[in-house]
Amino acid sequence: MFSSKKLAIFVVLAMIVPIVLAACGPTPEPEVIVQTVVVEQTKIVKEAGEEVTIIETVQVEVTVPPPEPTPVPEAQPAAYRIALFEDPTTLNYWNYMGPGSSVWTSYVVSGSAPALYTLSDQRFDFVPSLAKDLPAPLEKEGDFWTVEVEMAEGATWSDGEPITAHDVVFTLDACKDLKLTQNWPTTCYPEVLDHSEATGDYSVKYYFTEEVGLGKWQMGVALAPILPEHFWGDTVAEAYVFVEGVEEPEGGCAVEEGEELSEECQAYMDAYENARKTLYEGDATGVPSGGGMVTDKLELGAFAQRSANDNYFFEGAQIEEYDDGTWKMTLPDGTSWQAYGDATGEKTLDFIGGPYAPNVIFSIYGSQDAAFLALANDEVDYVLNPLGLARGLQEQAMKGEGIKSYANADYGMYYIAFNMRKYPMSEYEFRQAFDIIMDKEFVVNSVLAGVVFPMYSTMPPGNGFWHNPDVPKPYVGMSREDRVNLAVQVLKDAGWSWEVDPAWNEDTVDVDPGVGITMPNGEPMPELTILGPGPAYDPLRATFNQWISEWARELGMPVKSELTGFNTILGPVFIDADFDMYILGWSLGNVAFPDYYYSFWHSSQDTATTGNNNTPGFSNAEYDALIDEFLTTSDINRARDLIFEAQTLLADQRPYICLFYKQTVDLARNNIIYPYTDVLGGIEFAAGFQVDAKPMMR
């Protein structure tokens, strides 16, 4: 039994020694723990002459290190919660680039259509995307000017199908062959792009009928979106059925105002309208994305959802820009693109691309107020706000905890447009009179408390290279009395008359409205309507609408302000071209090359005849010549001069009268880490950086 006792004690000590040795390090400070060990100890007790073994309990103090601390997990990206206050109109990218063009739609489909080339972050340089390099110069080849572009291999759609040259050609062919409208013509330029062909799975060759310049090649066709043939092929084939064998009647189908289309022309136009309708109304459920996010859910009036694309080709790409002008992108596998410099000097931008958020959740609120209240209440992380932000609303939202503001110059404009196909909006003096009576400075400073800025040119001043600071501003600083007197004189000189003239009343310090207004054609002026969004959607535009209507009524003009839903305005303006006047705004897109001067005002883009974006129906030969040269020149300085001239001409002719532009103020929760925040147009212009923003768990 004694030997058994010694063994038991040895075992206990053997257990203790390693523990003590393990605790010999200087840190962490050891912790004293009392451990009870059971030891058999023999004692001789004489009980009736017998020896008894007694088991005693022995307490042993043992030092042991504290338990390893539980590691704190690194903060992980969370869902990115974004507020909208209007429904997107479609998830069909064909429609989004066509009649469904809406800023709200752009937010939920942005980036899903890849391109061979793109504009760089922050500086907006023309850079490769799916192309391997910047394009070579065009070469004369028979009757055509051609250029071939090699594509990067390995890029796939979100469903794993490869993105190839066949997708590029498929998209451009549909744009040309189906005569797609709105934004499509400035991506495929059918008047100069004869055709394109896939010379291999990853090479595209373009055939132009003339030597095209910056506008139609680098800043046009080269930036064209690419859509997946394997998904849209059947829908496009259905659309082609309507126009198969259909040819435009000899002599074309243009008609003068008041003339009717011939039966042949009507049949021709109906065929293409049916083809486009088939494509624009095609079911986009399950459409794959070539960008960082896939839009996979939409419930109108409630929410939309985008999920991270696990097959995104550019995930983890490093973007670098240097002050010597260099742009550089490096993929995780080491493949790199570099342009415009030798990567010397200081870096001005350096970030790693996403996607980081597993999902982007868009909650759709009924108004701007409700969206910013949701931000203050931590229901969302960011509000996509294409409108100006009133100071009171900003202050209210900033009362929420953890909210930051970011201010940038805006790249957009808000305007009133005139339907120049209709009388009297077609009359120069009518539009001039409106310009005279509209005291933009009064509305901006006295009514809107300076939250926006009066605008005089169709180029926002934030885009300094293209903005013409010398556009005339003849009515700035005029008194109310002088404005009324001058407008009346302009109209009288053009043949307008009243039973009782509008006149300034010195006693009331106000206008005595005109009575019985008659137009130069001898007819009483009909009631006219200014369409515009209501105050719940955009109080800034609603305010301008009501003041302009009131000023027109002071001249005796029966003009009313019709405030309605944003999407309600799109039909009469962008589809039917049936309106008098309207007030809307544009986010102007391509900062590096303002081709909207073609889309918005070139006569070839008349909404009524082409379905494109010249909503006023502006037709001016001098203007067309300026823009035609602008789109063909390869000299960037000459292009700038031409846009300066175009701004002056538009300020005189007034198909639009610019009202205001805004400083973009973005509000976001402080758990959102953006790749950069100094950007023309603000975070909103970048659609909230849905791919590259890091919304961190808090």
Side-chain angles (χ1 to χ4, degrees), residues 87-138:
D87 279 321
T89 57
T90 181
L91 296 184
N92 178 328
Y93 206 93
W94 301 101
N95 192 7
Y96 158 60
M97 291 283 287
S101 179
S102 155
V103 68
W104 306 104
T105 301
S106 75
Y107 296 143
V108 300
V109 301
S110 64
S112 61
L116 294 183
Y117 295 92
T118 188
L119 300 180
S120 70
D121 289 272
Q122 209 165 42
R123 280 207 311 250
F124 305 105
D125 299 314
F126 176 75
V127 296
S129 182
L130 287 179
K132 284 185 175 180
D133 203 348
L134 291 174
L138 274 68

Side-chain angles (χ1 to χ4, degrees), residues 182 257 415-426 430-431 526-532 545 559-560 562 564 568-584 586 600-601 605-609 612-618 654-657:
Q182 303 290 113
E257 186 176 355
Y415 62 94
I416 180 171
F418 300 86
N419 190 343
M420 297 174 67
R421 309 170 196 87
K422 297 173 66 173
Y423 192 86
M425 283 71 67
S426 58
F430 176 85
R431 303 190 303 277
E527 183 177 81
L528 301 177
T529 297
I530 305 176
L531 290 171
N545 196 329
V559 173
K560 68 175 183 177
E562 184 172 325
T564 185
T568 305
I569 301 170
L570 299 181
V573 170
F574 291 99
I575 298 175
D576 302 328
D578 185 13
F579 63 92
D580 299 323
M581 293 165 277
Y582 72 86
I583 294 177
L584 281 178
W586 284 110
F600 293 172
W601 302 294
Q605 303 303 297
D606 190 332
T607 303
T609 56
N612 297 330
N613 284 328
N614 180 354
T615 56
F618 182 55
R654 305 175 180 89
Y656 287 8
I657 296 176

Side-chain angles (χ1 to χ4, degrees), residues 33-113:
I33 300 174
V34 176
Q35 179 172 317
T36 301
V37 180
V38 177
V39 180
E40 290 184 357
Q41 180 173 311
T42 303
K43 286 187 178 181
I44 299 174
V45 179
K46 290 183 179 181
E47 294 181 0
E50 295 182 3
E51 193 176 81
V52 179
T53 300
I54 299 174
I55 307 297
E56 292 186 336
T57 299
V58 180
Q59 290 187 338
V60 182
E61 290 187 354
V62 181
T63 56
V64 296
E68 290 291 328
T70 303
V72 178
E74 185 178 339
Q76 298 297 314
Y80 188 8
R81 306 170 302 164
I82 296 179
L84 306 179
F85 39 97
E86 192 77 19
D87 279 321
T89 57
T90 181
L91 296 184
N92 178 328
Y93 206 93
W94 301 101
N95 192 7
Y96 158 60
M97 291 283 287
S101 179
S102 155
V103 68
W104 306 104
T105 301
S106 75
Y107 296 143
V108 300
V109 301
S110 64
S112 61

